[in-house]
Amino acid sequence: MAMTADRIHQTHPFLDGRPKRMLIDGKWVEAASGKTFDSINPATGEVLAQVAEGDAEDIRRAVAAARRAFDGSWSKWKPYERQQVLLKLADLVEQHIDDLTMLDTLDMGAPITRMRGGRRRAIGMLRYYAGMATSIHGETIENSLPGEIFSYTLKEPVGVVGAIIPWNGPLTAAIWKVGPALATGCTIVLKPAEEAPLTALRFAELALEAGVPEGVINVVPGYGETAGAALAAHMDVDKVAFTGSHLTGQKIIQASAGNLKRVSLELGGKSPDIVFADADMESTVSGAAMAVFSNSGQICSAGTRLFVERKVYEEFVGRVAEFGKKLKVGNGVDPEVQIGPLVSEQQLDRVTGYLDIGKREGARAMSGGERLKGAEYDRGYFVPPTVFADVRDDMKIAQEEIFGPVISAIPFTDLDEVIGRANATLFGLGSGVWTRDVSKAHRLAKGIRAGSVWVNCYQAMDPAVPFGGYKMSGYGRESGLQQLEEYLNVKAVWIKTA
Ligand code: NAI
Ligand code: MG
């Protein structure tokens, strides 16, 4: 196992031992300060690469480059030309998808099987945005003013976009921000997460190869408190697109106040997943388990509050726990592994902290419940699939986002009751309903206050279908027409005829 990891580490074409530089104005440069930080493989603890550590000065340079590009030749590109460059980029990503997904696996731990499953999504997103590039248009609008005044709207790119992304899906997170920026004619400064910056850098190389002009995409790796904060506060950034924790989201809003830049926020959740006794048990067990255990629970919309109808509660929760115990946990480069490590020591401490809190609060661990130890596990940050039973709504493990493979299972009796309890959270990102009764499904789909409701499935995602939050899970939408609007301004034009 460890052998495999070392071999792949050494032979990954992007990991050549040289420090990774940042991309500003089409050039690969060191940080102004000369500083670097280590990017670590969370399965082994080994350093994958040293990465240029950007801070406020690098952000200033990158934003200046993005502004020049926005005002310069990029603004003259026709929609068809932006479409062509996005299609070329999609082709290059497709050509290099094995290396890109392996880089994600090495840098943040997700099993390669999962990353490979996501390849269609990554490439499909780019081709969707390519299609959208030639579909942006304003409207002509009849007005009721006296005389002859013609009125219409123009859709214009919002300008320089600051994108701040998390580490839980580096490739798709980068595409989710760069794609709409290129489609609409914006320029972008991307700040990848310090935990997993490598794939964004490799993706940016491919963007240059595809013919994206200098300054249109800039990538500045660095820490949130320095590089991220500088980007969020910068007076010449027109919009910040952020994905991450709600606490950082609040800081982004405060930082945006200086120039009242536009902000879109895709934040965390404590999503309810509701199982009725009439559901198809076989598919619901695996569905509810993987709604949380996928990516080791490091998914913003994970269905972590598992509400189960009381008459099947014990049996169902037991089966989910058994399902979790059978999942193979280990280094994600192994194609048999289903659950990889957590991304960092910090996340390990956070998640194991919640495991202790759960036990102290009186929840019953039916599986997992402790860090995995021994042999290869000691080198990385491994937590097994964990199911807590006897969870009450007021427990911390039922209220706060854990971001680990931890299910809090809660019994319920009645439909209206479970709607109320499902909504008794600060968040509103995802939600699941498992039932064969179509009227129950409709009532829940209407009753739940969340941006997505999945019925008899979980975590279905498509580039054309909007995704985002209610309440403290954020605002703005990603994917779909709604996302493009986040990157566009509307201008009204009035023309009085003689
Ligand atoms: P975070 O929200 O602090 O980090 C996400 C991104 O924001 C990173 O690029 C980071 O560098 C940047 N950032 C951090 N502080 C910033 C600031 N003051 N100004 C501008 N940018 C800043 O999340 P973190 O620390 O990685 O994880 C902590 C918890 O947040 C997790 O346990 C999880 O609960 C939640 N989270 C949720 C995610 C989601 O997809 N909704 C993704 C990552 C984390
Ligand atoms: Mg890393």
Side-chain angles (χ1 to χ4, degrees):
M1 238 346 281
M3 280 298 295
T4 322
D6 291 341
R7 193 163 45 83
I8 288 177
H9 163 207
Q10 281 157 18
T11 58
H12 193 286
F14 193 64
L15 302 174
D16 53 9
R18 281 182 298 185
K20 294 295 157 195
R21 293 184 287 183
M22 58 181 78
L23 178 63
I24 296 178
D25 212 7
K27 286 160 208 77
W28 293 98
V29 295
E30 286 169 17
S33 68
K35 283 201 238 168
T36 61
F37 66 102
D38 291 341
S39 198
I40 289 171
N41 180 340
T44 61
E46 74 191 335
V47 176
L48 294 166
Q50 263 121 31
V51 180
E53 183 191 325
D55 62 21
E57 176 54 26
D58 306 285
I59 291 292
R60 266 194 292 280
R61 294 176 186 183
V63 172
R67 176 59 60 191
R68 278 194 304 276
F70 183 75
D71 292 338
S73 66
W74 180 239
S75 64
K76 312 215 166 42
W77 279 49
K78 298 288 181 194
Y80 176 76
E81 293 166 325
R82 298 199 307 270
Q83 178 174 69
Q84 290 305 303
V85 90
L86 271 160
L87 288 172
K88 181 82 198 294
L89 179 55
D91 288 347
L92 287 171
V93 166
E94 187 164 39
Q95 208 176 307
H96 295 279
I97 194 71
D98 287 338
D99 285 349
L100 289 162
T101 50
M102 183 54 86
L103 210 47
D104 268 6
T105 291
L106 292 170
D107 211 9
M108 58 71 67
I112 191 65
T113 43
R114 172 182 164 77
M115 302 319 298
R116 291 208 172 122
R119 66 171 67 199
R120 198 169 148 242
R121 177 163 161 72
I123 300 159
M125 286 164 85
L126 282 167
R127 296 206 170 115
Y128 173 81
Y129 294 123
M132 294 315 293
T134 53
S135 306
I136 295 163
H137 54 78
E139 294 170 306
T140 63
I141 303 169
E142 292 290 325
N143 65 72
S144 304
L145 294 177
E148 286 294 318
I149 307 186
F150 177 55
S151 51
Y152 65 94
T153 57
L154 291 174
K155 293 281 176 76
E156 298 182 331
V158 72
V160 175
V161 174
I164 301 173
I165 58 172
W167 38 263
N168 52 346
L171 176 62
T172 48
I175 292 173
W176 231 354
K177 310 286 194 242
V178 168
L182 296 182
T184 52
C186 293
T187 59
I188 189 166
V189 176
L190 175 68
K191 210 283 301 159
E194 53 269 42
E195 291 85 354
L198 297 176
T199 316
L201 295 169
R202 176 66 187 125
F203 173 70
E205 285 183 351
L206 295 177
L208 292 184
E209 195 181 329
V212 174
E214 60 190 33
V216 171
I217 300 177
N218 307 272
V219 184
V220 181
Y223 291 97
E225 298 70 26
T226 50
L231 186 55
H234 199 294
M235 292 296 284
D236 203 28
V237 169
D238 297 296
K239 168 200 164 63
V240 165
F242 173 73
T243 304
S245 67
H246 72 282
L247 295 171
T248 300
Q250 289 170 325
K251 288 187 195 157
I252 303 262
I253 294 171
Q254 281 157 2
S256 74
N259 68 337
L260 294 170
K261 61 175 66 64
R262 209 192 283 185
V263 175
S264 58
L265 302 168
E266 201 267 273
L267 309 177
K270 194 72 191 174
S271 299
D273 195 15
I274 302 166
V275 176
F276 287 92
D278 67 31
D280 172 62
M281 281 301 138
E282 199 64 33
S283 57
T284 305
V285 166
S286 57
M290 294 316 284
V292 177
F293 300 149
S294 295
N295 214 27
S296 297
Q298 303 170 126
I299 298 182
C300 45
S301 47
T304 49
R305 284 186 299 145
L306 181 60
F307 289 97
V308 184
E309 195 168 347
R310 196 175 293 276
K311 55 190 168 199
V312 294
Y313 179 81
E314 275 303 324
E315 188 206 336
F316 185 82
V317 175
R319 283 177 65 178
V320 172
E322 287 311 309
F323 185 95
K325 283 183 201 165
K326 291 198 193 99
L327 295 170
K328 187 169 157 69
V329 184
N331 187 332
V333 300
D334 178 345
E336 310 250 286
V337 160
Q338 293 156 295
I339 307 292
L342 297 174
V343 73
S344 64
E345 189 159 15
Q346 197 185 333
Q347 285 302 114
L348 176 72
D349 291 345
R350 188 188 155 96
V351 171
T352 51
Y354 275 109
L355 296 179
D356 294 340
I357 289 170
K359 286 177 248 173
R360 245 182 290 134
E361 284 179 318
R364 171 164 54 106
M366 299 190 59
S367 63
E370 263 164 67
R371 177 187 182 176
L372 283 169
K373 293 226 177 76
E376 58 163 305
Y377 291 134
D378 290 341
R379 300 205 291 151
Y381 316 122
F382 294 94
V383 170
T386 295
V387 176
F388 276 124
D390 303 339
V391 176
R392 291 187 319 270
D393 297 337
D394 62 349
M395 288 180 178
K396 258 189 164 46
I397 58 164
Q399 299 273 331
E400 296 176 13
E401 182 173 56
I402 299 174
F403 233 57
V406 185
I407 288 177
S408 299
I410 309 168
F412 76 91
T413 5
D414 162 76
L415 187 139
D416 289 320
E417 168 214 328
V418 80
I419 291 177
R421 292 170 67 194
N423 287 336
T425 166
L426 296 172
F427 302 105
L429 192 58
S431 60
V433 180
W434 303 83
T435 180
R436 279 191 269 223
D437 180 336
V438 73
S439 74
K440 275 185 200 156
H442 276 291
R443 285 176 65 190
L444 267 293
K446 241 188 130 167
I448 292 175
R449 297 197 62 215
S452 296
V453 183
W454 289 290
V455 179
N456 295 329
C457 59
Y458 205 91
Q459 209 68 65
M461 299 279 256
D462 187 274
V465 181
F467 177 81
Y470 279 37
K471 302 196 274 184
M472 284 182 79
S473 293
Y475 41 74
R477 290 292 177 271
E478 297 201 291
S479 301
L481 296 175
Q482 283 85 348
Q483 184 181 22
L484 275 295
E485 296 296 334
E486 309 275 349
Y487 289 71
L488 292 167
N489 265 326
V490 184
K491 178 183 281 174
V493 183
W494 302 83
I495 299 185
K496 185 160 197 249
T497 48

